[in-house]
Amino acid sequence: MEQELEIIQGVIGTVVYQNYDNGYAVLRLSVGGGQSVTVVGTIPLPAVGERLMVTGKWSNHSSYGRQFEAEFLERLMPQTSMEILSYLSGRIIKGIGPKMAARIVDHFRDETLVVMEREPLRLAEVPGISRERAQLIGEEFRQRVGMRSLMEFFALHHLPAELAVRTYKLYGESTVELLYDDPYLLMDDGLDAPFASVDRFAIELGVAGDDPRRVEAGILFELHYNLSAGHAFLPEEKLVAATAQLLSIDPEAAVKGVERLMEGERLVRDTLAGITVDYLPELYEAEQYSARRLLEFALSEFPEPWGLEKMLRKASAESGIDYSGQQQEAIRRAATSGVLLVTGGPGTGKTTILNGILSLFGQMGLRCVLAAPTGRAAKRLTEVTGEEASTIHRLLESTIDQNTGKMFFVRDEDTPLKADAIIVDEMSMVDVELLHSLLRAIPAGKRVILVGDPDQLPPVGPGFPFGDMLRSKMLPTVCLTEIFRQAQQSLIVMNAHRVNSGQKPELRRVDSDFFFMRRQSEDSLRQTIRDLCTTRLPKNMGIPADQIQVLTPTRKGGVGTWSLNSLLQGSLNPAAPDKRERQFGEFTFREGDRVMQIRNNYDIMWKRTDGSMVGTGIFNGDVGTITAIDGSAETVTVVFDDREADYDFTQLGELEPAYAMTVHKSQGSGATRSLVKS
C-alpha cells in the first residue's frame, strides 16, 4: 500500500547540508520532548531557529537511517524571543552574529522580526547600529523572506532555485504576479532560463499551446538559441518551420507570430542574396553599424609622416629584428590607414608587427591602447609587447544598470575612448555584438589596428566579423604568409600550417614540441592524461602541473571536461583535512582548485592582490585558483592572476573546474606552456 503523507512540526536545530543550486537540504528538526528527526528535500535557504510544518513520508536510508522526506512545507517564523535569537544568531543576515542578535532581541523582544520587516529604521535604536546599517539589514531581511518564498514557488513548479534568486533580484516582490501574466519573462536577458522548463511552467499556469505569448517566445528562443551556434540571423522559412516543430503548432501560427513580433519591433526582417531573413533587433543594429563604421575608418587615410623610413629603422634597431617585406608593409600601412587588418597563421610574425607598430606610433607621439577579447589573451598581449593591455570589456568600462540588472558600457559615442590608436589582438574571438560596442567608443579620425588569425575557431557569440572583413576585401589588409626560421623549429606551428593547407600533420616525430600518443581505449587514454599531468611532464620536461592545460573537444563522456576534471582534481588536488570544500551541483569545489569563469559577470567586485586598486568584472574564460572557502561568510575566494574576487555560494554556478576545458574555452591562451589534448 502507498504510504500516507504525514505532517510534522518543529524548529530547525542544525542545517546538515544545503545545495544552493537546487535548494536541496538535509536538516535536523527539533520536534519537542528532546527529540529530533532528519528531514530531507527541497527546502531553500533554511536557517537554524526557523519553525517548519513539513508534509511528507518516512523512509530508511541505507547509510543515514530513518529520515523524513519533505514533499511540501510551510514556514512558521520564530515567535518567541528565544526562537528569534536562535534564528538571527545563525548569521542569516550578513553583519548580524550572536552578539548583535542578542542586543537586537533584548531591545525588541517578540516584535523583533516585525520591526526588521516593517520598520527597519527602528533598528538604529540598538547601540552599534546606524540608520544606514538599519536600512540595509531591513532590505536584506525582506529580500531573504521574499526570495525564499519565490524559491518555494519555483520548487513547486520544478524550476531551479538558482533561477529564483536571479529572478527576484530583477523583479523583486512583484515576481510571482508578473510571471502569472507572462511566464516567458523567465527567458529575458540575465535570466536565460531553459525554454523547455519555462514552457512546461507556462502550461502548468494554463497557457494554451497556440497562445500568442507562447508562439512569440518560441520564435525568439529559436533566434537566441542559434546565436550560440554563431548565427546572427535565420532564413524566415527555416525559422517558421523550426518554431512550428518546437511548439507542435501549425506553421501559419508561427507566421502570424513573426508578423506580430515585426509590428512590435521585436524582430527585424531583411533580404540577403534574395532570401528573406529575420534578425533580433540588437543583432541587426550591430551588423549594420559595424559595417558602416569600418568603411568610414577605411576612407579616413592619414598623410605619411615625415621621416617614416628613419622611424622604421629605429623600430627595427629597438627590437633587434630585420623586418621582412610583409612586416615592413604592415608597419608602413599602419602609419597611414584609418583601419588596418593584420592576419596570418602561427609563426608568421604578428607579434613582431605589433611591437613595430607600437614603436612607430610612439615615435609619432600617438597614444595607444591595447586590448583583447579575454583576460588570458590580454595578459599574453601585455607579456609580448611590454605594454599594459586590457580586455575589451574593461577598456569599455563595463558596468551593471542597477535598475534593470543588465550590462552596459560606459564608453560609447558620448564618452569615447581617449586614445589616438586602438590595437586589438585575437580578433577571431570577437563576435559582432562586442565589435559593435567597441566601434561605438572609437571617435572618428582615430586609427584602428585589428590583428588575428581567421583559421582559429570562430567566436562563441554570434557572427564571425573578422573573417567577414577579410572576405569582403573592402578594408586595408596585410596577410602574413612567411613562416620565420624560429617558428619552423616548432612542430606545433608547422603542423598547424599543414592542417590549414589541407595536408596531414606530422605525427611520428618525438624530438620536438608536438607528440602524438595513440591509445586504443578510453580507460587507457584517461590513465595517460593523468600520468602526463601528474608525473611525466613535470618530471621529464620540468613543467609544473599548474602550467599544464588539458584540452578536449567535448564536455560529455569519459574524456569530456566533466569526467577529466574530476579525475585530475583527485590526482592534483585531493581532499585533505586542511582544505575546505563546498559542494555545488555535481562538483565539489576545493581550496587549491583551478577554476574558470563561464559567463561574463560585470558586477562582481575584485581587488588587486597587492591592494593597489579595486574594480568590477570577471569575464567568460578567465581562469583562477580557489584560495579560500569561508563557510561562515558563505564565500569562495578566487585569485585570477593579480585580481582577487569573492563569490557568494549562490554564485558558484558561474564557476567550473578548469583542469580540463573545451578547445573553444582555451582560445587566447597562447602563454600556456604545455597542452595535453585528448
Side-chain angles (χ1 to χ4, degrees):
M1 292 181 61
E2 184 177 351
Q3 185 180 350
E4 292 185 2
L5 295 177
E6 295 185 32
I7 299 176
I8 62 173
Q9 183 173 320
V11 176
I12 298 177
T14 306
V15 178
V16 179
Y17 170 78
Q18 61 176 316
N19 187 321
Y20 287 87
D21 189 17
N22 57 24
Y24 182 83
V26 179
L27 313 173
R28 296 292 292 172
L29 197 69
S30 300
V31 295
Q35 293 185 325
S36 64
V37 299
T38 300
V39 178
V40 300
T42 301
I43 309 171
L45 300 177
V48 172
E50 193 174 15
R51 183 174 292 276
L52 302 180
M53 182 181 294
V54 187
T55 302
K57 300 176 182 178
W58 292 100
S59 67
N60 281 294
H61 192 279
S62 58
S63 300
Y64 303 113
R66 195 165 186 252
Q67 56 190 25
F68 194 75
E69 297 181 356
E71 295 193 13
F72 310 100
L73 65 90
E74 180 181 353
R75 297 183 189 262
L76 307 171
M77 294 301 287
Q79 301 295 318
T80 68
S81 296
M82 289 299 296
E83 289 177 351
I84 294 171
L85 176 60
S86 176
Y87 177 66
L88 292 180
S89 296
R91 299 183 185 276
I92 66 158
I93 305 296
K94 289 182 180 178
I96 298 183
K99 292 182 179 179
M100 179 59 72
R103 292 209 299 270
I104 294 173
V105 175
D106 283 346
H107 190 82
F108 295 109
R109 310 304 298 171
D110 294 353
E111 298 298 311
T112 297
L113 299 184
V114 175
V115 170
M116 290 177 66
E117 183 174 4
R118 301 178 185 175
E119 301 177 274
L121 290 179
R122 287 190 59 197
L123 292 171
E125 298 171 14
V126 178
I129 299 181
S130 65
R131 286 180 61 85
E132 292 77 11
R133 188 178 180 191
Q135 183 70 35
L136 290 174
I137 290 173
E139 289 174 0
E140 185 173 344
F141 180 72
R142 286 196 302 273
Q143 183 183 51
R144 184 179 181 89
V145 172
M147 189 183 300
R148 191 172 54 192
S149 298
L150 183 63
M151 291 173 83
E152 291 169 358
F153 175 72
F154 273 36
L156 181 65
H157 291 283
H158 308 287
L159 293 170
E162 183 187 17
L163 177 61
V165 175
R166 297 201 303 269
T167 308
Y168 188 87
K169 288 180 179 178
L170 192 58
Y171 296 119
E173 297 175 1
S174 304
T175 300
V176 173
E177 181 181 350
L178 290 170
L179 290 179
Y180 269 106
D181 183 58
D182 185 1
Y184 296 97
L185 287 175
L186 291 174
M187 296 176 61
D188 282 356
D189 290 343
L191 298 177
D192 307 315
F195 178 79
S197 298
V198 177
D199 197 41
R200 183 181 62 245
F201 170 61
I203 291 172
E204 288 175 1
L205 296 186
V207 174
D210 60 352
D211 187 295
R213 294 172 297 178
R214 182 171 187 255
V215 175
E216 292 167 20
I219 293 168
L220 295 177
F221 164 72
E222 288 290 351
L223 287 169
H224 279 284
Y225 177 80
N226 279 278
L227 295 182
S228 62
H231 303 304
F233 63 86
L234 285 179
E236 188 167 299
E237 183 179 347
K238 290 188 176 181
L239 175 60
V240 167
T243 303
Q245 182 178 10
L246 173 73
L247 304 180
S248 299
I249 59 174
D250 190 276
E252 184 59 29
V255 171
K256 292 179 180 178
V258 169
E259 295 297 335
R260 286 193 301 271
L261 289 170
M262 284 278 297
E263 292 171 4
E265 298 183 349
R266 300 173 66 194
L267 182 148
V268 176
R269 178 184 286 153
D270 202 348
T271 302
L272 294 176
I275 299 173
T276 300
V277 298
D278 294 328
Y279 285 84
L280 293 167
E282 58 270 24
L283 268 298
Y284 186 76
E285 166 63 15
E287 274 198 1
Q288 294 291 312
Y289 180 93
S290 298
R292 185 169 62 250
R293 287 302 312 280
L294 287 167
L295 287 174
E296 290 173 0
F297 281 115
L299 294 173
S300 176
E301 294 192 354
F302 298 89
E304 182 178 301
W306 183 85
L308 176 59
E309 296 306 315
K310 183 178 179 181
M311 293 179 184
L312 279 171
R313 289 194 295 271
K314 182 177 180 181
S316 176
E318 288 175 348
S319 63
I321 295 174
D322 290 328
Y323 296 127
S324 69
Q326 290 179 338
Q327 291 174 326
Q328 289 188 45
E329 179 193 2
I331 299 172
R332 285 194 183 94
R333 295 189 73 174
T336 60
S337 299
V339 61
L340 177 66
L341 312 182
V342 179
T343 183
T348 56
K350 295 190 298 294
T351 297
T352 299
I353 287 175
L354 276 178
N355 284 318
I357 291 173
L358 284 171
S359 174
L360 174 66
F361 284 174
Q363 294 177 66
M364 294 171 62
L366 301 179
R367 180 187 175 190
C368 302
V369 294
L370 281 72
T374 68
R376 296 155 74 205
K379 180 184 177 184
R380 178 177 178 271
L381 185 56
T382 297
E383 292 171 348
V384 299
T385 64
E387 302 289 338
E388 182 66 27
S390 70
T391 63
I392 298 175
H393 287 85
R394 193 167 303 139
L395 177 69
L396 300 180
E397 299 179 31
S398 61
T399 189
I400 292 291
D401 186 320
Q402 296 302 319
N403 296 320
T404 65
K406 294 183 179 180
M407 186 276 295
F408 70 95
F409 292 114
V410 172
R411 296 292 177 181
D412 56 15
E413 297 94 339
D414 298 325
T415 312
L417 294 169
K418 297 179 180 179
D420 301 305
I422 293 84
I423 301 175
V424 182
D425 196 13
E426 299 288 1
M427 269 299 298
S428 66
M429 289 190 286
V430 177
D431 63 37
V432 69
E433 291 179 297
L434 187 55
L435 176 65
H436 171 228
S437 297
L438 176 65
L439 293 174
R440 287 183 61 199
I442 303 175
K446 306 302 181 182
R447 291 170 166 83
V448 181
I449 311 294
L450 305 177
V451 183
D453 180 355
D455 292 319
Q456 287 189 2
L457 290 172
V460 176
F464 189 14
F466 190 62
D468 293 339
M469 294 178 213
L470 294 170
R471 285 190 295 273
S472 75
K473 301 186 184 301
M474 297 292 290
L475 305 177
T477 302
V478 175
C479 183
L480 306 173
T481 56
E482 180 182 354
I483 306 173
F484 290 92
R485 183 177 302 172
Q486 183 178 358
Q488 291 176 7
Q489 307 307 310
S490 168
L491 190 55
I492 293 175
V493 170
M494 298 309 296
N495 274 340
H497 284 276
R498 287 191 180 98
V499 171
N500 285 340
S501 62
Q503 302 177 42
K504 292 183 178 180
E506 171 59 63
L507 302 179
R508 297 181 179 180
R509 283 179 55 185
V510 295
D511 60 344
S512 188
D513 55 2
F514 182 103
F515 303 90
F516 178 75
M517 300 178 178
R518 186 185 302 275
R519 295 295 181 266
Q520 300 298 326
S521 70
E522 191 174 87
D523 287 343
S524 176
L525 177 56
R526 285 166 54 83
Q527 182 64 45
T528 298
I529 292 170
R530 182 168 62 183
D531 290 347
L532 285 168
C533 293
T534 57
T535 57
R536 293 170 64 175
L537 289 175
K539 180 179 179 180
N540 299 328
M541 299 186 68
I543 303 173
D546 62 4
Q547 294 294 311
I548 300 171
Q549 181 63 63
V550 178
L551 304 182
T552 179
T554 181
R555 296 171 62 85
K556 299 179 181 180
V559 289
T561 55
W562 282 109
S563 179
L564 289 178
N565 273 312
S566 179
L567 173 75
L568 294 172
Q569 183 198 41
S571 299
L572 298 173
N573 189 35
D578 61 339
K579 293 179 183 178
R580 285 166 289 191
E581 299 180 346
R582 182 68 197 182
Q583 177 78 29
F584 190 90
E586 299 179 5
F587 190 77
T588 300
F589 291 98
R590 183 176 300 141
E591 290 177 339
D593 275 342
R594 186 192 308 170
V595 293
M596 175 173 54
Q597 178 79 13
I598 61 170
R599 64 173 66 100
N600 291 334
N601 185 329
Y602 307 96
D603 205 29
I604 194 167
M605 296 287 297
W606 55 262
K607 61 182 179 181
R608 295 288 189 197
T609 50
D610 62 5
S612 61
M613 66 177 293
V614 297
T616 59
I618 302 294
F619 302 112
N620 186 11
D622 286 353
V623 176
T625 301
I626 295 177
T627 57
I629 297 177
D630 189 330
S632 60
E634 299 187 348
T635 59
V636 172
T637 301
V638 183
V639 172
F640 299 91
D641 296 325
D642 60 348
R643 294 170 296 147
E644 180 180 278
D646 288 333
Y647 288 74
D648 188 271
F649 282 172
T650 61
Q651 295 176 300
L652 290 180
E654 298 187 10
L655 295 175
E656 280 187 0
Y659 299 100
M661 65 178 69
T662 61
V663 176
H664 244 133
K665 287 290 187 182
S666 73
Q667 284 188 237
S669 61
T672 304
R673 290 182 57 191
S674 181
L675 305 177
V676 177
K677 299 188 181 183
S678 62

